[in-house]
Amino acid sequence: MTTTAEEPGVATKSGKFVYLFGDGRSDGHHDLRNLLGGKGAGLAEMSSLGIPVPPGFTITTEVCNAYYGLGRSYPPQLEAQVRDGFAHVERIVGARFGDPENPLLISVRSGARVSMPGMMDTILNLGLNDATAEGLARRSGSDRFAYDSYRRFVQMYGDVVLGIARDEETDTDPFEQLLAAKKRERGVEDDTGLDGAALRELVGEFKQLIADRGKEFPDDPWDQLWGAVGAVFDSWENPRAVVYRDQYGYPSTWGTAVNVQAMVFGNLGEDCATGVLFTRHPSTGDASLFGEFLVNAQGEDVVAGTRTPQPILAVDRAPGAPPSLEEAMPQVYEELALACDRLERHFRDMQDIEFTVQQGKLWILQTRNGKRAGRAMLRIAVDLVDEGHLSEREAVGRLDPEQLDELLHPVFEEGSERDVIARGLAASPGAAVGKVVFRPIDVVELRKRGEDAILVRDETSPEDIEGMVDARGILTARGGMTSHAAVVARGMGKCCITGCAALQIDYAGRQFSVRREDGSTITVNEGDTISLDGTTGEVMLGGLPLADGEFPPEFDRVMEWVDAARRMKVRANADTPEDAERARSFGAEGIGLCRTEHMFFGADRILAVRQMILAEDAPARRDALAKILPMQREDFVGILRAMAPYPVTIRLLDPPLHEFLPHEQEEIEELAESLRATPAQIQRRVEGLREQNPMLGHRGVRLGVTSPEIYETQVRAIIEAACQLGEEGLEVAPEIMIPLVGMPEELRLLRERTTAVAEQVMTECGARVGYTIGTMIELPRACIVADQIAVHADFFSFGTNDLTQTAFGLSRDDAGRFLPSYIEQHLIERDPFVVLDREGVGGLIQIGIERGKATRRDLKIGICGEHGGNPASIEFCEQNGFDYVSCSPYRVPIARLAAAQATLREGLRPA
Ligand code: PEP
Ligand code: MG
């Protein structure tokens, strides 16, 4: 089923599986990102631009899909194309793969069309064995370098390709244990303190470890290559990648590309380095380079967070810390800054760049549009427009609607007392309060119980993704601003503090301790509540009070562009004046669904509602309703006033009446007394109203048909409220909506009754107000007979929650038990209650609109199911000519942006 805006990269049938790049030319370019992945497309583009990238080639995402299609094996044409790719790289580098005299070493990296930081696998230094390692040592003149590369390769290969797992009990990597033991044995602190001989021993120990686990390390570089390529493809379906895709709604059919590239070395000595940087600050959006590097290291050292790196700019260096890149390697820095500027101008967006310096020469390994916090997203968009790189419309097209959500995330109340116990790096802004836990699995457990967790780790790794998704906030002792924790948290808009060096974590004891600034030590146990301020980097004991977040200064300006580009209106689903006000402050242009049942639960009226439901006859029911009427009128006065002059769609009562009845003994007794009945009698009547299938039972318009007084009272309350406000001079526009209509006759009857009451009320009040009558379309039958229903309707509002439920025959309350299994097994890509099922439910909607409009060309069309706040579903609404979408107040800005983007994509002019 089609549930996403974009289709997966469909096979080109060209049979071209391998795209070369390097030496100032390339087969691919940036627009081929679906085929080459983001990394491959970026490398191709950079190579054509003359940016120094190590030569290589990209195996396409089509091959990934073919690999899975063939039961995890390669299409036969691949090998020859890969061999040609090697010939290309060998020619440029002047070394040969597997040649003991002059070996070519390569990296094998994943690269999906969007960046999925650390979720998939990478293998570096591939091509080393005992013979080529010797050759490398001779040619480089450094035993240490050759065997450091070799031990890294065996370690990575063992982990990624051969699956040598972490030690469950101690939660440590067995290779790291051997490395630590070797450092102890040689009495050195840092990896860089180990000499060639020690590293050579370590290679032997690593291989022994692999053999002890029953695995074989391949010596033949070609075997190594195919093992690595397969591992990268396999990593597309590893649990962390799957969780990450679910989180962002990326379909599995995208697949990953594989990039095979000549190695360049940042670990060849003190004139070597490796680093990552953003061309603008990823948290604040400030227009200056921001990043980190390590001298004499390989790329994974920076992101792994095991060594705390140094900043790129001198101004970012803490007093007493080692020099920044700007100070340590000024020429490289100049060249890097120029490359950054070129890349940012070329891609017209903030770039996230990986680089390596080998013996003073700069190489760019990767560029991609950088992940940024929501605040930074707006700031960068405004700056890029002001700097003349983007038009306003282009800037709108590039924003991520979901990221607006985090701008509304809570902040700590101003002026609240802070017991700061430690400070780290403000890696991802926001405020978080929760219970301390140390293992990702415990976050998931707490979440299941509805509790908030703060995940505290030395550093995070991609395996931790599930816990990171569920955590309120993340706190790590190690790692910089570009560590895994920082990058992933920023992408998710989640509060995160990294590099909090004062933290001493005792995983076994399930506690951490911090030395406070006054010299005392404090211990925090699992389950204790702490607060994180991701904007300042402060860690506080206890739970600080939270307040609503505020939009940054750029918000209004960006939303002006958004609204100028948008065709559809955006309304909110709101049931109270407060919600209506909030929705308006977020830019709602009306209420698309006011669910009146929520008003019935008010403490001051539930008893009257129950009396009404259990009334023996119509007069008794009218008595009870007479008590409800004034309260209901006040509700509508409040809501219509808050939304004036925008329209407010008020849905008459929808749920089965049984939902309002008491279950607790005390409540039953209270009701019995008020009705002069015994509790047992009440109990029996409550039981008598129970239904086998309430969702398909006595609800919606069916209540209106059988108990006309309920809807009559509600209509009276609406029109009286409108008359009252009209007298005050306010322009109000109530739209009365009848739910769950499946038969035209139902709506004919209800329209007649509604009109009669409205006319009568207006006569009584001596006033006239404009109002319309329409229906929700929530049943497949309603879509099919929409032409007949439209005879009686001024508007259709698609209730896609129920329409999804009734179209699939899938209970919205029970689907959670089995839908995940459907998604896991790829029977469907996305939960259809979240992302509209375009083919089935969407098909019904299209029929409904077409037939409804055939009767009434001016029929107003809206959506008020949860899908009204989902960008992919909003796109569907745009394509099908909806007048408006309606969603929860907090999603209104997201829907405004998504609607604007959909208009721009459709190439439509806003009305
Ligand atoms: C719907 O069914 O889509 C809808 C908005 O109504 P409710 O969720 O209240 O059933
Ligand atoms: Mg419904």
Side-chain angles (χ1 to χ4, degrees), residues 144-173:
R144 191 196 174 275
F145 158 68
Y147 285 93
D148 184 43
S149 303
Y150 195 9
R151 77 93 189 154
R152 286 170 185 271
F153 173 51
V154 178
Q155 178 170 357
M156 257 191 176
Y157 202 90
D159 169 22
V160 170
V161 185
L162 303 176
I164 305 298
R166 288 173 86 80
D167 195 332
E168 287 260 330
E169 237 162 64
T170 54
D171 195 20
T172 45
D173 177 331

mmCIF file of all heavy atoms in Angstrom, residues 144-173:
data_model
loop_
_atom_site.group_PDB
_atom_site.id
_atom_site.type_symbol
_atom_site.label_atom_id
_atom_site.label_comp_id
_atom_site.label_asym_id
_atom_site.label_seq_id
_atom_site.Cartn_x
_atom_site.Cartn_y
_atom_site.Cartn_z
ATOM 1 N N ARG A 144 53.938 1.255 13.689
ATOM 2 C CA ARG A 144 52.827 1.603 14.578
ATOM 3 C C ARG A 144 51.548 1.893 13.802
ATOM 4 O O ARG A 144 50.489 1.379 14.095
ATOM 5 C CB ARG A 144 53.207 2.843 15.401
ATOM 6 C CG ARG A 144 52.233 3.052 16.454
ATOM 7 C CD ARG A 144 52.102 4.297 17.174
ATOM 8 N NE ARG A 144 50.920 4.088 18.012
ATOM 9 C CZ ARG A 144 49.692 4.292 17.597
ATOM 10 N NH1 ARG A 144 49.444 4.736 16.396
ATOM 11 N NH2 ARG A 144 48.685 4.015 18.393
ATOM 12 N N PHE A 145 51.720 2.694 12.762
ATOM 13 C CA PHE A 145 50.574 3.059 11.945
ATOM 14 C C PHE A 145 49.966 1.807 11.291
ATOM 15 O O PHE A 145 48.750 1.584 11.334
ATOM 16 C CB PHE A 145 51.004 4.070 10.880
ATOM 17 C CG PHE A 145 50.085 4.118 9.707
ATOM 18 C CD1 PHE A 145 48.795 4.608 9.856
ATOM 19 C CD2 PHE A 145 50.486 3.650 8.455
ATOM 20 C CE1 PHE A 145 47.922 4.635 8.774
ATOM 21 C CE2 PHE A 145 49.616 3.672 7.388
ATOM 22 C CZ PHE A 145 48.342 4.156 7.534
ATOM 23 N N ALA A 146 50.824 0.970 10.699
ATOM 24 C CA ALA A 146 50.314 -0.194 9.961
ATOM 25 C C ALA A 146 49.559 -1.126 10.902
ATOM 26 O O ALA A 146 48.458 -1.598 10.580
ATOM 27 C CB ALA A 146 51.475 -0.936 9.302
ATOM 28 N N TYR A 147 50.139 -1.355 12.078
ATOM 29 C CA TYR A 147 49.474 -2.322 12.968
ATOM 30 C C TYR A 147 48.320 -1.701 13.759
ATOM 31 O O TYR A 147 47.405 -2.402 14.171
ATOM 32 C CB TYR A 147 50.516 -3.046 13.830
ATOM 33 C CG TYR A 147 51.224 -4.049 12.962
ATOM 34 C CD1 TYR A 147 52.406 -3.718 12.297
ATOM 35 C CD2 TYR A 147 50.648 -5.291 12.724
ATOM 36 C CE1 TYR A 147 53.003 -4.608 11.431
ATOM 37 C CE2 TYR A 147 51.241 -6.196 11.855
ATOM 38 C CZ TYR A 147 52.427 -5.843 11.208
ATOM 39 O OH TYR A 147 52.985 -6.736 10.340
ATOM 40 N N ASP A 148 48.349 -0.402 13.906
ATOM 41 C CA ASP A 148 47.181 0.260 14.497
ATOM 42 C C ASP A 148 46.001 0.131 13.523
ATOM 43 O O ASP A 148 44.877 -0.200 13.920
ATOM 44 C CB ASP A 148 47.481 1.743 14.761
ATOM 45 C CG ASP A 148 46.309 2.444 15.468
ATOM 46 O OD1 ASP A 148 45.738 1.832 16.401
ATOM 47 O OD2 ASP A 148 45.965 3.578 15.085
ATOM 48 N N SER A 149 46.278 0.348 12.230
ATOM 49 C CA SER A 149 45.215 0.211 11.230
ATOM 50 C C SER A 149 44.721 -1.242 11.185
ATOM 51 O O SER A 149 43.511 -1.488 11.072
ATOM 52 C CB SER A 149 45.730 0.602 9.846
ATOM 53 O OG SER A 149 46.241 1.912 9.874
ATOM 54 N N TYR A 150 45.650 -2.147 11.241
ATOM 55 C CA TYR A 150 45.310 -3.578 11.147
ATOM 56 C C TYR A 150 44.439 -3.994 12.339
ATOM 57 O O TYR A 150 43.405 -4.634 12.184
ATOM 58 C CB TYR A 150 46.616 -4.371 11.106
ATOM 59 C CG TYR A 150 46.483 -5.825 10.650
ATOM 60 C CD1 TYR A 150 45.288 -6.335 10.124
ATOM 61 C CD2 TYR A 150 47.593 -6.682 10.746
ATOM 62 C CE1 TYR A 150 45.201 -7.660 9.710
ATOM 63 C CE2 TYR A 150 47.514 -8.019 10.327
ATOM 64 C CZ TYR A 150 46.317 -8.497 9.821
ATOM 65 O OH TYR A 150 46.232 -9.796 9.420
ATOM 66 N N ARG A 151 44.859 -3.585 13.539
ATOM 67 C CA ARG A 151 44.062 -4.001 14.711
ATOM 68 C C ARG A 151 42.671 -3.364 14.663
ATOM 69 O O ARG A 151 41.676 -4.004 15.012
ATOM 70 C CB ARG A 151 44.788 -3.722 16.028
ATOM 71 C CG ARG A 151 44.809 -2.300 16.538
ATOM 72 C CD ARG A 151 43.693 -1.958 17.501
ATOM 73 N NE ARG A 151 43.704 -0.513 17.737
ATOM 74 C CZ ARG A 151 42.659 0.193 18.085
ATOM 75 N NH1 ARG A 151 41.492 -0.380 18.238
ATOM 76 N NH2 ARG A 151 42.773 1.483 18.277
ATOM 77 N N ARG A 152 42.580 -2.142 14.182
ATOM 78 C CA ARG A 152 41.266 -1.498 14.049
ATOM 79 C C ARG A 152 40.395 -2.284 13.067
ATOM 80 O O ARG A 152 39.199 -2.463 13.276
ATOM 81 C CB ARG A 152 41.403 -0.061 13.534
ATOM 82 C CG ARG A 152 41.919 0.918 14.562
ATOM 83 C CD ARG A 152 42.250 2.235 13.873
ATOM 84 N NE ARG A 152 42.867 3.181 14.775
ATOM 85 C CZ ARG A 152 42.183 4.059 15.524
ATOM 86 N NH1 ARG A 152 40.871 4.083 15.486
ATOM 87 N NH2 ARG A 152 42.818 4.897 16.313
ATOM 88 N N PHE A 153 41.042 -2.693 11.949
ATOM 89 C CA PHE A 153 40.290 -3.424 10.935
ATOM 90 C C PHE A 153 39.770 -4.751 11.498
ATOM 91 O O PHE A 153 38.597 -5.091 11.358
ATOM 92 C CB PHE A 153 41.177 -3.660 9.705
ATOM 93 C CG PHE A 153 40.526 -4.563 8.689
ATOM 94 C CD1 PHE A 153 39.232 -4.315 8.232
ATOM 95 C CD2 PHE A 153 41.208 -5.667 8.188
ATOM 96 C CE1 PHE A 153 38.626 -5.153 7.295
ATOM 97 C CE2 PHE A 153 40.606 -6.511 7.255
ATOM 98 C CZ PHE A 153 39.308 -6.249 6.814
ATOM 99 N N VAL A 154 40.638 -5.512 12.146
ATOM 100 C CA VAL A 154 40.217 -6.824 12.666
ATOM 101 C C VAL A 154 39.088 -6.620 13.682
ATOM 102 O O VAL A 154 38.090 -7.342 13.708
ATOM 103 C CB VAL A 154 41.408 -7.569 13.312
ATOM 104 C CG1 VAL A 154 40.947 -8.899 13.889
ATOM 105 C CG2 VAL A 154 42.518 -7.795 12.300
ATOM 106 N N GLN A 155 39.222 -5.582 14.486
ATOM 107 C CA GLN A 155 38.212 -5.288 15.501
ATOM 108 C C GLN A 155 36.864 -4.949 14.853
ATOM 109 O O GLN A 155 35.821 -5.500 15.214
ATOM 110 C CB GLN A 155 38.709 -4.110 16.340
ATOM 111 C CG GLN A 155 37.725 -3.674 17.398
ATOM 112 C CD GLN A 155 38.341 -2.676 18.378
ATOM 113 O OE1 GLN A 155 39.531 -2.348 18.287
ATOM 114 N NE2 GLN A 155 37.539 -2.206 19.308
ATOM 115 N N MET A 156 36.911 -4.076 13.876
ATOM 116 C CA MET A 156 35.667 -3.671 13.214
ATOM 117 C C MET A 156 35.050 -4.822 12.442
ATOM 118 O O MET A 156 33.831 -5.009 12.442
ATOM 119 C CB MET A 156 35.957 -2.549 12.219
ATOM 120 C CG MET A 156 35.560 -1.209 12.709
ATOM 121 S SD MET A 156 35.645 -0.048 11.351
ATOM 122 C CE MET A 156 35.022 1.374 12.180
ATOM 123 N N TYR A 157 35.917 -5.563 11.768
ATOM 124 C CA TYR A 157 35.404 -6.687 10.981
ATOM 125 C C TYR A 157 34.782 -7.726 11.918
ATOM 126 O O TYR A 157 33.722 -8.285 11.646
ATOM 127 C CB TYR A 157 36.541 -7.296 10.158
ATOM 128 C CG TYR A 157 36.046 -8.064 8.951
ATOM 129 C CD1 TYR A 157 35.881 -7.420 7.725
ATOM 130 C CD2 TYR A 157 35.732 -9.413 9.038
ATOM 131 C CE1 TYR A 157 35.415 -8.104 6.612
ATOM 132 C CE2 TYR A 157 35.271 -10.114 7.927
ATOM 133 C CZ TYR A 157 35.113 -9.456 6.722
ATOM 134 O OH TYR A 157 34.641 -10.138 5.629
ATOM 135 N N GLY A 158 35.461 -7.958 13.017
ATOM 136 C CA GLY A 158 34.949 -8.924 13.990
ATOM 137 C C GLY A 158 33.599 -8.498 14.533
ATOM 138 O O GLY A 158 32.664 -9.300 14.641
ATOM 139 N N ASP A 159 33.484 -7.235 14.819
ATOM 140 C CA ASP A 159 32.238 -6.714 15.379
ATOM 141 C C ASP A 159 31.131 -6.694 14.323
ATOM 142 O O ASP A 159 30.074 -7.308 14.476
ATOM 143 C CB ASP A 159 32.537 -5.294 15.917
ATOM 144 C CG ASP A 159 31.278 -4.535 16.289
ATOM 145 O OD1 ASP A 159 30.251 -5.180 16.534
ATOM 146 O OD2 ASP A 159 31.331 -3.291 16.335
ATOM 147 N N VAL A 160 31.410 -6.020 13.210
ATOM 148 C CA VAL A 160 30.354 -5.720 12.236
ATOM 149 C C VAL A 160 30.022 -6.915 11.348
ATOM 150 O O VAL A 160 28.860 -7.241 11.135
ATOM 151 C CB VAL A 160 30.795 -4.520 11.365
ATOM 152 C CG1 VAL A 160 29.854 -4.318 10.199
ATOM 153 C CG2 VAL A 160 30.879 -3.274 12.213
ATOM 154 N N VAL A 161 31.052 -7.568 10.818
ATOM 155 C CA VAL A 161 30.782 -8.626 9.834
ATOM 156 C C VAL A 161 30.616 -9.974 10.528
ATOM 157 O O VAL A 161 29.726 -10.752 10.191
ATOM 158 C CB VAL A 161 31.918 -8.694 8.782
ATOM 159 C CG1 VAL A 161 31.566 -9.704 7.695
ATOM 160 C CG2 VAL A 161 32.158 -7.316 8.166
ATOM 161 N N LEU A 162 31.477 -10.250 11.510
ATOM 162 C CA LEU A 162 31.435 -11.582 12.124
ATOM 163 C C LEU A 162 30.535 -11.609 13.356
ATOM 164 O O LEU A 162 30.283 -12.669 13.915
ATOM 165 C CB LEU A 162 32.860 -12.038 12.476
ATOM 166 C CG LEU A 162 33.817 -12.049 11.263
ATOM 167 C CD1 LEU A 162 35.224 -12.417 11.701
ATOM 168 C CD2 LEU A 162 33.338 -13.028 10.185
ATOM 169 N N GLY A 163 30.074 -10.459 13.763
ATOM 170 C CA GLY A 163 29.080 -10.416 14.845
ATOM 171 C C GLY A 163 29.609 -10.834 16.202
ATOM 172 O O GLY A 163 28.892 -11.443 16.994
ATOM 173 N N ILE A 164 30.863 -10.528 16.509
ATOM 174 C CA ILE A 164 31.398 -10.820 17.852
ATOM 175 C C ILE A 164 30.719 -9.834 18.823
ATOM 176 O O ILE A 164 30.952 -8.629 18.758
ATOM 177 C CB ILE A 164 32.936 -10.628 17.906
ATOM 178 C CG1 ILE A 164 33.630 -11.473 16.837
ATOM 179 C CG2 ILE A 164 33.469 -10.923 19.314
ATOM 180 C CD1 ILE A 164 33.437 -12.958 16.956
ATOM 181 N N ALA A 165 29.879 -10.385 19.668
ATOM 182 C CA ALA A 165 28.987 -9.537 20.459
ATOM 183 C C ALA A 165 29.675 -8.955 21.688
ATOM 184 O O ALA A 165 30.726 -9.433 22.117
ATOM 185 C CB ALA A 165 27.779 -10.344 20.887
ATOM 186 N N ARG A 166 29.064 -7.951 22.237
ATOM 187 C CA ARG A 166 29.518 -7.385 23.509
ATOM 188 C C ARG A 166 29.314 -8.405 24.618
ATOM 189 O O ARG A 166 28.454 -9.277 24.511
ATOM 190 C CB ARG A 166 28.676 -6.158 23.866
ATOM 191 C CG ARG A 166 28.957 -4.957 23.029
ATOM 192 C CD ARG A 166 27.956 -3.872 23.350
ATOM 193 N NE ARG A 166 28.384 -3.051 24.487
ATOM 194 C CZ ARG A 166 29.262 -2.070 24.406
ATOM 195 N NH1 ARG A 166 29.832 -1.790 23.254
ATOM 196 N NH2 ARG A 166 29.578 -1.352 25.461
ATOM 197 N N ASP A 167 30.062 -8.244 25.644
ATOM 198 C CA ASP A 167 29.926 -9.094 26.817
ATOM 199 C C ASP A 167 28.695 -8.616 27.592
ATOM 200 O O ASP A 167 28.673 -7.499 28.091
ATOM 201 C CB ASP A 167 31.199 -8.923 27.662
ATOM 202 C CG ASP A 167 31.307 -10.010 28.689
ATOM 203 O OD1 ASP A 167 30.237 -10.513 29.095
ATOM 204 O OD2 ASP A 167 32.437 -10.341 29.057
ATOM 205 N N GLU A 168 27.665 -9.480 27.603
ATOM 206 C CA GLU A 168 26.369 -9.080 28.195
ATOM 207 C C GLU A 168 26.517 -8.588 29.635
ATOM 208 O O GLU A 168 25.996 -7.554 30.017
ATOM 209 C CB GLU A 168 25.421 -10.282 28.208
ATOM 210 C CG GLU A 168 24.886 -10.646 26.849
ATOM 211 C CD GLU A 168 23.487 -10.101 26.640
ATOM 212 O OE1 GLU A 168 22.770 -9.978 27.647
ATOM 213 O OE2 GLU A 168 23.143 -9.797 25.480
ATOM 214 N N GLU A 169 27.271 -9.407 30.410
ATOM 215 C CA GLU A 169 27.299 -9.139 31.848
ATOM 216 C C GLU A 169 27.943 -7.796 32.184
ATOM 217 O O GLU A 169 27.420 -7.007 32.951
ATOM 218 C CB GLU A 169 28.064 -10.254 32.548
ATOM 219 C CG GLU A 169 27.207 -10.904 33.610
ATOM 220 C CD GLU A 169 27.758 -12.230 33.997
ATOM 221 O OE1 GLU A 169 28.868 -12.248 34.538
ATOM 222 O OE2 GLU A 169 27.071 -13.244 33.736
ATOM 223 N N THR A 170 29.106 -7.570 31.552
ATOM 224 C CA THR A 170 29.824 -6.334 31.894
ATOM 225 C C THR A 170 29.496 -5.216 30.923
ATOM 226 O O THR A 170 29.964 -4.093 31.087
ATOM 227 C CB THR A 170 31.345 -6.579 31.846
ATOM 228 O OG1 THR A 170 31.643 -7.126 30.547
ATOM 229 C CG2 THR A 170 31.779 -7.547 32.906
ATOM 230 N N ASP A 171 28.690 -5.520 29.886
ATOM 231 C CA ASP A 171 28.309 -4.538 28.885
ATOM 232 C C ASP A 171 29.551 -3.909 28.257
ATOM 233 O O ASP A 171 29.633 -2.715 28.047
ATOM 234 C CB ASP A 171 27.409 -3.456 29.523
ATOM 235 C CG ASP A 171 26.707 -2.632 28.442
ATOM 236 O OD1 ASP A 171 26.607 -3.123 27.302
ATOM 237 O OD2 ASP A 171 26.284 -1.502 28.739
ATOM 238 N N THR A 172 30.559 -4.749 28.015
ATOM 239 C CA THR A 172 31.775 -4.204 27.396
ATOM 240 C C THR A 172 32.103 -4.975 26.119
ATOM 241 O O THR A 172 31.717 -6.124 25.940
ATOM 242 C CB THR A 172 33.005 -4.330 28.330
ATOM 243 O OG1 THR A 172 32.998 -5.639 28.889
ATOM 244 C CG2 THR A 172 33.004 -3.291 29.403
ATOM 245 N N ASP A 173 32.854 -4.304 25.279
ATOM 246 C CA ASP A 173 33.281 -4.875 24.016
ATOM 247 C C ASP A 173 34.518 -5.737 24.292
ATOM 248 O O ASP A 173 35.491 -5.240 24.866
ATOM 249 C CB ASP A 173 33.594 -3.680 23.098
ATOM 250 C CG ASP A 173 34.121 -4.112 21.754
ATOM 251 O OD1 ASP A 173 34.751 -5.178 21.666
ATOM 252 O OD2 ASP A 173 33.918 -3.349 20.791
#
